Short mmCIF file of all heavy atoms in Angstrom, two decimals:
data_model
loop_
_atom_site.label_atom_id
_atom_site.label_comp_id
_atom_site.label_asym_id
_atom_site.label_seq_id
_atom_site.Cartn_x
_atom_site.Cartn_y
_atom_site.Cartn_z
N LEU A 142 -3.96 -13.54 20.52
CA LEU A 142 -3.56 -14.65 19.75
C LEU A 142 -4.46 -15.87 19.80
O LEU A 142 -4.74 -16.56 18.80
CB LEU A 142 -2.18 -15.06 20.15
CG LEU A 142 -1.05 -14.08 19.81
CD1 LEU A 142 0.27 -14.49 20.55
CD2 LEU A 142 -0.79 -13.95 18.31
N GLU A 143 -5.05 -16.17 20.96
CA GLU A 143 -5.93 -17.24 21.16
C GLU A 143 -7.27 -17.00 20.43
O GLU A 143 -7.79 -17.83 19.70
CB GLU A 143 -6.24 -17.50 22.61
CG GLU A 143 -7.16 -18.60 22.92
CD GLU A 143 -6.55 -19.98 22.36
OE1 GLU A 143 -5.28 -20.18 22.49
OE2 GLU A 143 -7.30 -20.88 21.97
N ASP A 144 -7.85 -15.78 20.58
CA ASP A 144 -9.05 -15.33 19.93
C ASP A 144 -8.92 -15.34 18.37
O ASP A 144 -9.91 -15.90 17.71
CB ASP A 144 -9.60 -14.07 20.39
CG ASP A 144 -10.05 -14.10 21.88
OD1 ASP A 144 -10.18 -15.08 22.37
OD2 ASP A 144 -10.29 -12.92 22.41
N LYS A 145 -7.93 -14.84 17.89
CA LYS A 145 -7.76 -14.63 16.43
C LYS A 145 -7.16 -15.87 15.76
O LYS A 145 -7.48 -16.23 14.65
CB LYS A 145 -6.95 -13.39 16.19
CG LYS A 145 -6.86 -13.05 14.73
CD LYS A 145 -7.01 -11.62 14.50
CE LYS A 145 -6.88 -11.36 12.95
NZ LYS A 145 -7.54 -10.34 12.49
N TYR A 146 -6.20 -16.60 16.46
CA TYR A 146 -5.40 -17.58 15.68
C TYR A 146 -5.46 -18.98 16.44
O TYR A 146 -4.74 -19.87 15.97
CB TYR A 146 -3.94 -17.21 15.55
CG TYR A 146 -3.78 -15.86 14.85
CD1 TYR A 146 -3.55 -14.63 15.51
CD2 TYR A 146 -3.86 -15.85 13.40
CE1 TYR A 146 -3.40 -13.53 14.87
CE2 TYR A 146 -3.72 -14.68 12.66
CZ TYR A 146 -3.48 -13.51 13.39
OH TYR A 146 -3.33 -12.32 12.74
N SER A 147 -6.26 -19.15 17.47
CA SER A 147 -6.30 -20.32 18.23
C SER A 147 -4.91 -20.86 18.62
O SER A 147 -4.45 -21.96 18.43
CB SER A 147 -6.94 -21.53 17.50
OG SER A 147 -8.24 -21.09 17.19
N TYR A 148 -4.18 -19.84 19.23
CA TYR A 148 -2.73 -20.02 19.53
C TYR A 148 -2.48 -21.28 20.34
O TYR A 148 -1.47 -22.06 20.10
CB TYR A 148 -2.23 -18.82 20.33
CG TYR A 148 -0.76 -18.85 20.65
CD1 TYR A 148 0.16 -18.61 19.69
CD2 TYR A 148 -0.29 -19.08 21.94
CE1 TYR A 148 1.60 -18.59 20.02
CE2 TYR A 148 1.02 -19.03 22.27
CZ TYR A 148 1.93 -18.87 21.35
OH TYR A 148 3.19 -18.84 21.59
N SER A 149 -3.27 -21.60 21.40
CA SER A 149 -2.90 -22.74 22.22
C SER A 149 -3.01 -24.10 21.63
O SER A 149 -2.45 -25.12 21.99
CB SER A 149 -3.68 -22.71 23.50
OG SER A 149 -5.13 -22.88 23.16
N SER A 150 -3.88 -24.27 20.47
CA SER A 150 -4.15 -25.54 19.81
C SER A 150 -3.28 -25.70 18.58
O SER A 150 -3.33 -26.68 17.85
CB SER A 150 -5.58 -25.70 19.54
OG SER A 150 -6.10 -24.61 18.73
N ARG A 151 -2.47 -24.81 18.23
CA ARG A 151 -1.62 -24.83 17.02
C ARG A 151 -0.25 -25.11 17.35
O ARG A 151 0.24 -24.88 18.42
CB ARG A 151 -1.75 -23.53 16.27
CG ARG A 151 -3.15 -23.18 15.75
CD ARG A 151 -3.03 -22.04 14.82
NE ARG A 151 -4.28 -21.69 14.25
CZ ARG A 151 -4.78 -22.22 13.08
NH1 ARG A 151 -4.04 -23.06 12.39
NH2 ARG A 151 -5.92 -21.91 12.61
N ASP A 152 0.50 -25.63 16.36
CA ASP A 152 1.91 -25.80 16.51
C ASP A 152 2.65 -24.51 16.57
O ASP A 152 2.30 -23.51 15.78
CB ASP A 152 2.50 -26.63 15.30
CG ASP A 152 2.15 -28.03 15.27
OD1 ASP A 152 1.80 -28.58 16.29
OD2 ASP A 152 1.89 -28.66 14.06
N LYS A 153 3.60 -24.26 17.46
CA LYS A 153 4.32 -23.05 17.62
C LYS A 153 5.20 -22.76 16.35
O LYS A 153 5.44 -21.54 16.13
CB LYS A 153 5.28 -23.13 18.86
CG LYS A 153 4.53 -23.43 20.18
CD LYS A 153 3.33 -22.46 20.33
CE LYS A 153 2.62 -22.83 21.59
NZ LYS A 153 1.09 -22.69 21.51
N GLU A 154 5.47 -23.68 15.46
CA GLU A 154 6.09 -23.38 14.20
C GLU A 154 5.22 -22.58 13.30
O GLU A 154 5.71 -22.01 12.23
CB GLU A 154 6.48 -24.67 13.45
CG GLU A 154 7.58 -25.37 14.18
CD GLU A 154 7.08 -26.28 15.42
OE1 GLU A 154 5.84 -26.87 15.41
OE2 GLU A 154 7.81 -26.33 16.45
N GLU A 155 3.96 -22.54 13.56
CA GLU A 155 3.07 -21.66 12.71
C GLU A 155 3.07 -20.24 13.05
O GLU A 155 2.48 -19.49 12.36
CB GLU A 155 1.54 -22.24 12.92
CG GLU A 155 1.28 -23.55 12.41
CD GLU A 155 -0.11 -24.04 12.55
OE1 GLU A 155 -0.94 -23.25 11.98
OE2 GLU A 155 -0.36 -24.98 13.13
N PHE A 156 3.88 -19.92 14.02
CA PHE A 156 4.02 -18.48 14.33
C PHE A 156 5.55 -18.22 14.37
O PHE A 156 6.47 -19.05 14.59
CB PHE A 156 3.61 -18.19 15.74
CG PHE A 156 2.11 -18.38 15.97
CD1 PHE A 156 1.68 -19.71 16.22
CD2 PHE A 156 1.22 -17.41 15.68
CE1 PHE A 156 0.27 -19.91 16.34
CE2 PHE A 156 -0.14 -17.68 15.81
CZ PHE A 156 -0.61 -18.91 16.13
N ARG A 157 5.95 -16.92 13.96
CA ARG A 157 7.31 -16.59 13.90
C ARG A 157 7.51 -15.18 14.35
O ARG A 157 6.67 -14.31 14.21
CB ARG A 157 7.98 -16.81 12.58
CG ARG A 157 7.60 -15.89 11.56
CD ARG A 157 8.38 -16.18 10.24
NE ARG A 157 7.73 -15.36 9.17
CZ ARG A 157 8.20 -15.38 7.91
NH1 ARG A 157 9.03 -16.35 7.50
NH2 ARG A 157 7.60 -14.63 7.05
N ASN A 158 8.67 -14.91 14.93
CA ASN A 158 9.12 -13.56 15.35
C ASN A 158 8.01 -12.83 16.22
O ASN A 158 7.90 -11.67 16.05
CB ASN A 158 9.44 -12.74 14.25
CG ASN A 158 10.62 -13.31 13.39
OD1 ASN A 158 11.48 -14.01 14.05
ND2 ASN A 158 10.65 -13.19 12.18
N LEU A 159 7.34 -13.49 17.20
CA LEU A 159 6.39 -12.77 17.97
C LEU A 159 7.16 -11.94 18.98
O LEU A 159 8.02 -12.37 19.63
CB LEU A 159 5.49 -13.90 18.65
CG LEU A 159 4.57 -14.57 17.94
CD1 LEU A 159 3.79 -15.55 18.80
CD2 LEU A 159 3.49 -13.78 17.19
N LYS A 160 6.77 -10.63 18.95
CA LYS A 160 7.46 -9.55 19.87
C LYS A 160 6.33 -8.74 20.42
O LYS A 160 5.39 -8.34 19.73
CB LYS A 160 8.44 -8.77 19.15
CG LYS A 160 9.64 -9.62 18.50
CD LYS A 160 10.51 -8.68 17.82
CE LYS A 160 11.58 -9.54 17.15
NZ LYS A 160 12.39 -8.79 16.41
N LEU A 161 6.57 -8.49 21.66
CA LEU A 161 5.68 -7.56 22.36
C LEU A 161 6.51 -6.41 22.90
O LEU A 161 7.50 -6.59 23.64
CB LEU A 161 4.98 -8.22 23.53
CG LEU A 161 4.00 -7.30 24.33
CD1 LEU A 161 2.89 -6.83 23.47
CD2 LEU A 161 3.46 -8.13 25.51
N VAL A 162 6.28 -5.19 22.29
CA VAL A 162 7.10 -4.07 22.56
C VAL A 162 6.36 -2.98 23.40
O VAL A 162 5.18 -2.76 23.09
CB VAL A 162 7.56 -3.35 21.23
CG1 VAL A 162 8.41 -2.16 21.47
CG2 VAL A 162 8.35 -4.40 20.36
N CYS A 163 6.98 -2.35 24.40
CA CYS A 163 6.31 -1.47 25.26
C CYS A 163 6.83 -0.02 24.87
O CYS A 163 8.06 0.25 24.73
CB CYS A 163 6.65 -1.71 26.78
SG CYS A 163 6.05 -0.55 27.81
N CYS A 164 5.94 0.88 24.85
CA CYS A 164 6.27 2.30 24.59
C CYS A 164 5.78 3.17 25.64
O CYS A 164 4.57 3.19 25.90
CB CYS A 164 5.73 2.79 23.28
SG CYS A 164 6.22 1.83 21.87
N ARG A 165 6.69 3.80 26.37
CA ARG A 165 6.23 4.68 27.55
C ARG A 165 6.34 6.11 27.10
O ARG A 165 7.39 6.46 26.48
CB ARG A 165 7.15 4.42 28.72
CG ARG A 165 6.78 3.05 29.34
CD ARG A 165 7.57 2.93 30.66
NE ARG A 165 7.06 1.85 31.40
CZ ARG A 165 7.39 0.61 31.34
NH1 ARG A 165 8.17 0.26 30.34
NH2 ARG A 165 6.85 -0.32 32.07
N GLU A 166 5.38 6.86 27.40
CA GLU A 166 5.42 8.35 27.16
C GLU A 166 6.26 8.98 28.21
O GLU A 166 6.04 8.73 29.36
CB GLU A 166 3.96 8.88 27.11
CG GLU A 166 3.90 10.23 26.47
CD GLU A 166 2.47 10.65 26.46
OE1 GLU A 166 1.68 9.88 25.83
OE2 GLU A 166 2.21 11.76 26.80
#
Side-chain angles (χ1 to χ4, degrees):
L142 291 170
E143 184 62 35
D144 291 348
K145 186 141 178 147
Y146 302 102
S147 302
Y148 182 75
S149 63
S150 62
R151 295 189 177 269
D152 291 331
K153 300 310 175 215
E154 291 79 33
E155 293 182 57
F156 297 90
R157 68 175 176 190
N158 300 327
L159 290 177
K160 294 179 184 174
L161 183 58
V162 178
C163 175
C164 302
R165 287 187 167 81
E166 191 173 311

